[in-house]
Structures are given as structure tokens and as C-alpha cells.
Amino acid sequence: MRDVFIIGAGIHPFGRTEGRSGRDQGVFAVRQALADTGLDWTDIECAYGGSSAAGSADIMVNELGLTGLPFINVANGCATGGSALAAARNAVAAGEYDIALAVGFDKHERGAFNAKPKEWGLPGWYGQTGLMLTTQFFALKLRRYMQLHGISRETLGRVAEKSFRNGEKADHAWRRTPIDLETILHAPVVNDPLTKYMFCSPAEGGVALIVASGKKVRELGADAVKIASIAVRTRPPGSFEVFAPSISVERGGAPTTLASRGAFETAGIGPDDIDVAQLQDTESGAEIMHMAENGFCADGEQEAWLAEGRTEITGRLPVNTDGGCIACGEPIGASGLRQVYENVVQLRGRGGERQVPNAPKTAYSHVYGAPGLSAVAILER
């Protein structure tokens, strides 16, 4: 398998963009990525991408150009972007192509992600007021975790406070106004123990990444970031997922744990070697639990980590340096690729006010998608 590098990265700002479809935002991101590396659309040899609510990705060729390239649609819930990148990377690593594209985009309605409420006999306000099944599941899962491992509501608030503070420094973020801890903790409760500022919001946006072989990197003289490893894993027996009738907290069975171990093994490094990380944070508790599932700390240690600022931009392990899903929102097709985009920015030293100091050399991204799939990517400079 050949080494593979990210040579181009583009993003359409997340949030709400009236008059521009989700697919249009994906096209915008692709054109940004092409400009980033000085390539033309005709140079792209294959593409992988998808969305949850904004249509098929392959139709982007109507705007980008009818070149006849193979364009594969990807659908893996919140892990759609990570899965598209894995497919593009594998195509180049296998020697099938020298340049490939991974793209994700979406455009969601306001309110909680509400899975066909009318088909369930539910009114539209059911999801809009936070009663969607997923938000209840997140809260129940988190409440049990807090009880088992001594995590306080203040720690949940610290995650959100950090997210909004980092989002202020990211020009692609949606929520760019800092919110203090007291406001977060005393905001209306959506699903106990989570207040409205502890959740991400359905959003809009697009991200595109261009990957290439080492041969192409040398030919182009590109500002390249190496993909050290990518791992995608589904859930084995004993794990749980969003729509399961019962909850198991068996640590060894979590798909995130399996993907993390696989990615570290392939990269030949461990959690202590990572300089910056982007972790799935559908809500504050998700970031906390995923810190442990990805091997960065033991269960319960997050309480001290957040209180001591270890996950701040200047901390021991900066986490979600652009504000994560909480500040950026979550357009499902684009969210996982946004994480990798942010890591490319950090490794290139282009983060501006949110730049991690001391020239980071390794970066980690993790995304979790229902109904129980995780993708992890490790980048090296």
C-alpha cells in the first residue's frame, strides 16, 4: 500500500446560508480545495462523497464539469465524511488512482434531528423542543456515565464554554460568540443533564479534501499532510447504538474503541504521541466520553482534565480547536471532513488565533455515526 497525502483542503462556512443549496456548498468547497493545490477539476481521477439531507454527491459534476470520472456516493450517518475520506485514501493507496477527492455537504432544517416524526405519529414540535429519540438517548447514556465515573454538570459546561471560545476564532464556525459557564449551566434544559448550549445544532456546510500519492506530491510540490492511518469500525456484540432497546456500557465493545486501536496500530504510535485532536461532540457529554473511548484518558479523569485546562488550545491535548460540532453545527455529510480539514489547518500552521503552539506534528480525528459506526484518521506532518 502506497503512502497517501492530503494536498488540498476547502470548506464552505457552516451555519445557515439562504439561497444556496447543500450541494452548492459542496461545490464551493471543492473549488476551494482545487485552488488550494493549483489543480483543475479535470485532474481529479475519482471522487467519493455524500450528504444526509441534500441529495446525491455525484450530481455535483453538473456544476464542476462532465469529465466522466467515477463518483461514488457514501452514506454512513455522521461518519459519512470520514468514510468518504477512507475510500479515497484506499483507492490511492492501492495504486488505482493518483489523485482522489473526498467531499461532504448538507443542509438541515432547524430543530433536533427528527427521524420522520409523522411516520411515527409525532407532531413536528416533538423534535423541535428536544424530545427526539437521539437527544433522550444521549442524555440517558451520559447520566449513567456521570454516575459511574464522577463527572459533574460543571464539566459538561466547561466543554461547551471551550467550544464557543474556540469557535470565535474559526472563520468557518457558525456560533462565534463566547458564552460563559454560568449562562451555559443555567440555560433551559433540553434533556437532563444537557442544556441547550451543550448540544450541537443541525446546520449547513461543505468540506472537500484532495488526496494524492507521494509521486504526485513530488510532481506538484504540494504542501502535503500525510494520512498515517484511517480505521472504520462497526459495533460488535456487547456494544450499543442510538436505536438499541437496551444499553450496555461494556468498554471493549465500543466501535470507537475498536477504530481508535486500529488507527493507532497502523500508524505505529499511541495516544501520548498526538498533538491535537478533533472528537465527535454531538453534545458536551460525547466529547467527554470519547476522550476515554479514544484512549486519551481513563474514565473519570476528564473531570480534572477540563478543570485544569488540558484540552484548551494551549493545553496538553487541544481538543476541538475550531469549536467542534457545538460551535460549528453538524451538517451530517460534512462534519467528519470538517474535523480533518481543521487538523490540516493546524498541521500546516495556518490556524491564526486558534493555532496550537509549538508546531504540532500529529493530529487525530474521530467521528461516530448512528447506528453504531466510528471512523478515526491520524495525520502526520
Side-chain angles (χ1 to χ4, degrees):
M1 299 288 281
R2 302 187 298 176
D3 287 340
V4 181
F5 302 82
I6 296 173
I7 62 171
I11 192 167
H12 183 285
F14 282 28
R16 298 286 177 207
T17 306
E18 296 298 328
R20 182 173 288 175
S21 71
R23 189 181 292 121
D24 288 342
Q25 294 177 49
V27 169
F28 179 97
V30 172
R31 288 175 174 156
Q32 269 207 341
L34 290 169
D36 181 42
T37 196
L39 293 173
D40 295 322
W41 174 244
T42 54
D43 295 315
I44 304 299
E45 299 172 359
C46 71
Y48 299 84
S51 76
S52 174
S56 299
D58 65 293
I59 308 301
M60 298 170 75
V61 299
N62 290 343
E63 289 79 32
L64 293 168
L66 304 178
T67 63
L69 89 168
F71 204 133
I72 310 301
N73 290 295
V74 179
N76 256 343
C78 298
T80 292
S83 300
L85 180 61
R89 176 260 186 190
N90 290 343
V92 173
E96 187 75 13
Y97 304 99
D98 280 310
I99 299 179
L101 169 73
V103 60
F105 55 89
D106 245 313
K107 190 179 183 78
H108 299 293
E109 297 178 357
R110 291 175 55 84
F113 290 111
N114 209 6
K116 302 178 181 177
K118 293 182 179 179
E119 293 185 13
W120 294 3
L122 301 173
W125 57 260
Y126 193 83
Q128 295 170 0
T129 56
L131 296 176
M132 175 52 191
L133 175 62
T134 49
T135 62
Q136 295 181 51
F137 168 82
F138 295 146
L140 288 170
K141 174 184 174 184
L142 175 59
R143 175 58 74 187
R144 179 173 175 82
Y145 189 87
M146 292 170 68
Q147 181 180 12
L148 289 173
H149 303 293
I151 303 297
S152 65
R153 286 188 75 251
E154 184 170 330
T155 295
L156 301 183
R158 290 185 188 279
V159 170
E161 184 182 36
K162 171 179 66 69
S163 296
F164 292 119
R165 186 165 55 246
N166 291 352
E168 181 187 20
K169 302 176 177 68
D171 54 8
H172 61 263
W174 183 10
R175 311 296 192 192
R176 302 191 62 193
T177 301
I179 303 176
D180 65 86
L181 181 60
E182 288 301 309
T183 299
I184 292 169
L185 291 176
H186 293 95
V189 173
V190 178
N191 293 116
D192 184 59
L194 297 163
T195 71
K196 70 174 186 177
Y197 292 123
M198 297 177 186
F199 276 101
C200 77
S201 298
E204 305 174 16
V207 181
L209 300 173
I210 298 172
V211 302
S213 63
K215 172 186 173 182
K216 278 296 179 182
V217 169
R218 292 187 292 273
E219 288 180 5
L220 297 169
D223 185 6
V225 172
K226 182 180 179 181
I227 302 177
S229 65
I230 290 183
V232 180
R233 298 289 188 272
T234 54
R235 55 192 177 90
S239 64
F240 61 87
E241 44 90 3
V242 173
F243 302 111
S246 61
I247 295 178
S248 166
V249 292
E250 181 182 347
R251 172 65 64 216
T256 290
T257 302
L258 300 180
S260 178
R261 289 173 180 170
F264 279 126
E265 181 178 353
T266 300
I269 61 176
D272 290 341
D273 299 308
I274 298 298
D275 295 325
V276 56
Q278 317 298 329
L279 305 180
Q280 178 80 28
D281 60 330
T282 314
E283 32 74 29
S284 294
E287 179 176 318
I288 289 169
M289 290 183 282
H290 288 145
M291 287 171 62
E293 287 192 356
N294 284 283
F296 294 112
C297 66
D299 293 311
E301 289 183 350
Q302 303 97 321
E303 187 80 2
W305 274 57
L306 270 295
E308 296 168 9
R310 297 187 214 176
T311 59
E312 298 285 347
I313 288 175
T314 57
R316 170 182 166 185
L317 178 68
V319 174
N320 293 331
T321 48
D322 66 350
C325 290
I326 291 176
C328 294
E330 187 173 24
I332 287 178
S335 191
L337 290 180
R338 175 194 53 76
Q339 294 179 327
V340 182
Y341 171 90
E342 174 65 11
N343 279 340
V344 171
V345 169
Q346 290 292 337
L347 293 181
R348 285 175 164 179
R350 301 179 185 177
E353 290 185 74
R354 68 181 190 281
Q355 178 62 47
V356 172
N358 303 320
K361 299 297 183 184
T362 58
Y364 184 100
S365 66
H366 154 265
V367 64
Y368 177 89
L373 180 145
S374 284
V376 168
I378 297 176
L379 307 184
E380 292 180 349
R381 184 63 160 166

